[in-house]
């Protein structure tokens, strides 16, 4: 049961972070594409949400 809670928190973090990043990103800004930026934000947001939930007992 605890693992599902941590996974859910990670997924919620991904949805919020990637949604805001994609909504506010400018396609012409910087050397990286929006897909690369969204992927890196998704990975870091998931890990942040998951481990914050896991260690915040």
């Amino acid at each position: 049961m605890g693992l599902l809670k941590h996974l859910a928190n990670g997924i919620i973090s991904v949805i919020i972070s990637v949604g805001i990043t994609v909504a506010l990103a400018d396609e012409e800004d910087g050397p990286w594409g929006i897909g690369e930026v969204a992927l890196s934000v998704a990975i870091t947001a998931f890990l942040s949400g998951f481990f914050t939930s896991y260690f915040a007992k």
Side-chain angles (χ1 to χ4, degrees), residues 2-46:
L3 182 62
L4 291 177
K5 181 179 102 175
H6 306 315
L7 286 173
N9 285 334
I11 292 169
I12 290 168
S13 294
V14 168
I15 292 169
I16 293 169
S17 299
V18 172
I20 291 172
T21 301
V22 170
L24 299 178
D26 186 9
E27 289 285 334
E28 304 298 322
D29 191 26
W32 302 282
I34 191 69
E36 294 167 328
V37 172
L39 178 62
S40 65
V41 168
I43 292 169
T44 57
F46 177 79

